Amino acid sequence: MTYMEATAGQSIDAPGTTPAKRRAYVTEGPKMVDFLVANGIKMRRCPWWPDYYDDRPGGSVPGRTIVADLFNSNELGGWRDRLEPNFLGNVPAYHYEGFEIGLAKTSWKGKTEMLKVGMRMIMAKLTGKRWVTAGGALQGRMLQASLAAGVDLRVNSKVTSFISDESGAVKGVVTQKDGKPWRVGADLGVLVNAGGFSHNQEMRDKYQPGTSAKWTAATAGSTGEMILEMMKIGAAIGQMEEMVGNQMSIPPGKENQGNGVALGELAGGQMHYAKPHSIVVDQSGVRYMNEGGSYMEFCQNMLTRDKIVPAVPSWWIGDQRGRDNYHGGNPPKAWLDSGFIKRDRTIVGLAGQIGINPAVLRKTIDTYNDGARKGIDAEFGRGNRAYDNWLGDFHRKDGSHTLGPIETGPFYAAPVVPGDVGTYGGVVTDENARVLRQDGSVIEGLYATGISTASVMGRIYPGAGSSVGPSFVFGYIAAKHAAHLGNQGDS
């Protein structure tokens, strides 16, 4: 709770987070995990994944992230191919192993992890297993448990509206069956967990100007229609300007694929921009933030900066040493030929290619280099948090884990945009996950969770899983609340 209050609790004008909701999250979260484990969902605690603001009161350096065990999707039988493709494909690696593998050029631990994952891949081939990891593993295990419990799962059944009685209470939904409207009644309530609006450019233009649906890695179903439907029956909304930002460099033709990070050909971008020997500058050539830390804050900084100085896109600037050690070596020839990645043997030449005053870029790099050689970022404090260093090269023996001078030519530049892995605003709910009206009254029978709601984390991303964690916890809370009312005969 100390950490929640030092992060989410500091959000301003964020109706999705209240002391009661934050306490419900902390109190019910462990119970929800116990419930999942008791129902056969195999999970594990990550050995090391620092809180994103570990320097704040209550922050944890080891972290508190849990993930699903690797899952053999063949166990789903005919349902296997209904899983969304995983961003790591069928590579059987946990997130934290992936971070180690990213350091294979500079550490024996990274090489060992690469060998271990490689052996898993070989064994999978020999045994016919089809491993999925990360969100795919969690989804696969949840789907398997749901099928085993006899849940009636209906695909291709888009909900178009809610059914309400004369008092305004929600009593069901209108969906589709065989291409025709189909009404489904609900005795205990309706729970909406339909994603956000990352793929709805009209909603983005209204609530998140300057962002693009082409830059999202969110699932294709995040089109926002259920948020709009809840608004039609009086639901209040909040925090619609916020998204789970995920800085990206997207090669031509890779939009909306979630794997657009040019620097290391990996999904997402957070760890690449915090590696030694690189910085991010705006279009004037000035560095304006700590490139480490929360990916959500990174993109908030970019959009805020863009209101003062053009910063969308910004430019990632790095040198050959950094590319060789952390970003896959020389970039593909097609990226260089297309101009997506710029390369030059001098900083002056690179500045000319990206339209920046060479003197300004040279001064920015010199200032950064002076601090990097001392292991100190006096401007923005990169490396002051455990999380910054974890994103860098945490096996590095000499100097900073995240800072390194940009001095070994040739030099590189790549455009960086404020992408996302989901939006962070939606309908306002209470501590029981009930959807609220603008006046604070409850829309009876209507519950919501996940990124269809205004986040309990407010305007901040305190740690890994700050979207999926609340989605699960408040889904669990909603089910218990509705079942309790049902047992009382009140609904």
Side-chain angles (χ1 to χ4, degrees):
M1 279 304 299
T2 299
Y3 184 63
M4 284 288 283
E5 294 309 304
T7 51
Q10 302 304 304
S11 298
I12 297 173
D13 187 25
T17 188
T18 64
K21 282 188 69 175
R22 295 192 291 274
R23 183 162 294 280
Y25 179 73
V26 170
T27 302
E28 296 297 315
K31 299 176 186 177
M32 180 275 297
V33 173
D34 288 343
F35 172 79
L36 292 182
V37 172
N39 280 275
I41 309 297
K42 295 182 179 180
M43 310 187 83
R44 63 177 57 200
R45 184 186 180 103
C46 293
W48 183 26
W49 196 317
D51 287 345
Y52 293 179
Y53 298 89
D54 57 83
D55 55 339
R56 296 194 184 185
S60 170
V61 171
R64 31 195 144 214
T65 300
I66 58 173
V67 296
D69 277 10
L70 296 175
F71 178 64
N72 177 17
S73 61
N74 287 336
E75 295 179 24
L76 293 173
W79 283 84
R80 185 193 73 179
D81 293 333
R82 294 193 183 276
L83 281 183
E84 284 282 331
N86 192 275
F87 76 97
L88 283 175
N90 294 320
V91 177
Y94 292 100
H95 284 86
Y96 52 89
E97 292 174 331
F99 277 83
E100 291 281 7
I101 290 171
L103 300 176
K105 288 283 187 71
T106 61
S107 80
W108 282 106
K109 176 69 171 175
K111 293 177 178 67
T112 301
E113 293 294 337
M114 182 180 291
L115 179 62
K116 182 168 69 175
V117 172
M119 290 300 296
R120 276 194 208 131
M121 294 176 72
I122 293 171
M123 289 303 298
K125 288 280 188 182
L126 294 175
T127 59
K129 289 183 171 61
R130 183 169 169 171
W131 295 113
V132 289
T133 185
L138 183 59
Q139 292 158 13
R141 291 187 176 280
M142 289 295 291
L143 177 56
Q144 184 181 48
S146 299
L147 293 169
V151 174
D152 180 9
L153 296 169
R154 303 182 185 184
V155 297
N156 300 318
S157 301
K158 180 179 178 179
V159 171
T160 57
S161 61
F162 296 100
I163 300 170
S164 303
D165 65 14
E166 60 279 359
S167 70
V170 172
K171 295 296 182 180
V173 297
V174 179
T175 181
Q176 291 184 351
K177 183 177 181 181
D178 299 327
K180 297 179 181 179
W182 187 263
R183 293 162 65 88
V184 180
D187 293 331
L188 300 182
V190 170
L191 173 62
V192 176
N193 188 14
F197 56 93
S198 290
H199 287 279
N200 188 323
Q201 189 61 51
E202 184 178 351
M203 291 181 73
R204 296 192 79 121
D205 290 342
K206 181 175 181 179
Y207 298 112
Q208 300 176 354
T211 69
S212 174
K214 292 182 178 181
W215 303 337
T216 186
T219 183
S222 289
T223 48
E225 70 275 4
M226 293 312 301
I227 296 175
L228 297 176
E229 287 300 317
M230 288 187 283
M231 291 169 63
K232 287 180 184 178
I233 60 173
I237 56 172
Q239 297 151 228
M240 296 290 279
E241 320 85 60
E242 301 294 352
M243 64 181 186
V244 187
N246 190 33
Q247 59 271 36
M248 295 179 175
S249 292
I250 307 176
K254 295 291 186 179
E255 296 86 357
N256 297 126
Q257 295 188 21
N259 60 354
V261 177
L263 306 181
E265 299 181 83
L266 295 173
Q270 56 174 143
M271 66 181 182
H272 290 288
Y273 302 98
K275 288 291 188 285
H277 313 294
S278 68
I279 57 174
V280 171
V281 301
D282 61 26
Q283 293 179 26
S284 74
V286 173
R287 184 169 174 245
Y288 60 96
M289 66 170 157
N290 171 1
E291 295 87 353
S294 161
Y295 30 95
M296 181 169 172
E297 184 178 19
F298 187 111
C299 293
Q300 288 172 332
N301 288 336
M302 192 183 300
L303 290 166
T304 299
R305 180 69 170 183
D306 193 59
K307 296 176 182 177
I308 305 170
V309 178
V312 178
S314 289
W315 290 100
W316 171 85
I317 306 292
D319 70 358
Q320 189 66 46
R321 183 180 177 187
R323 279 216 64 98
D324 288 342
N325 286 341
Y326 309 114
H327 309 305
N330 290 327
K333 184 175 183 296
W335 293 356
L336 292 167
D337 290 346
S338 69
F340 165 62
I341 288 218
K342 314 291 186 183
R343 180 170 64 184
D344 201 280
R345 60 186 181 84
T346 69
I347 294 297
V348 170
L350 187 70
Q353 288 195 47
I354 59 178
I356 287 177
N357 184 323
V360 173
L361 184 59
R362 180 75 268 176
K363 181 180 179 182
T364 296
I365 292 175
D366 286 346
T367 300
Y368 167 77
N369 284 352
D370 287 344
R373 293 188 184 99
K374 300 172 185 175
I376 298 172
D377 178 12
E379 290 185 291
F380 302 104
R382 180 169 142 196
N384 292 349
R385 288 185 297 236
Y387 185 65
D388 296 0
N389 293 310
W390 186 70
L391 291 175
D393 184 346
F394 46 80
H395 291 301
R396 208 170 180 211
K397 300 299 183 183
D398 57 327
S400 167
H401 293 313
T402 183
L403 303 172
I406 301 169
E407 59 187 1
T408 307
F411 302 96
Y412 295 87
V416 185
V417 296
D420 72 89
V421 292
T423 47
Y424 217 47
V427 299
V428 178
T429 57
D430 68 5
E431 65 271 21
N432 292 310
R434 297 179 296 181
V435 177
L436 303 178
R437 298 185 179 89
Q438 196 66 47
D439 63 4
S441 63
V442 171
I443 300 178
E444 296 294 340
L446 184 59
Y447 299 84
T449 189
I451 57 173
S452 295
T453 70
S455 177
V456 67
M457 302 301 179
R459 300 181 182 277
I460 198 167
Y461 212 77
S466 290
S467 284
V468 70
S471 176
F472 271 67
V473 173
F474 285 100
Y476 174 75
I477 289 172
K480 289 206 300 183
H481 186 271
H484 176 71
L485 290 181
N487 290 334
Q488 289 183 328
D490 293 340
S491 177

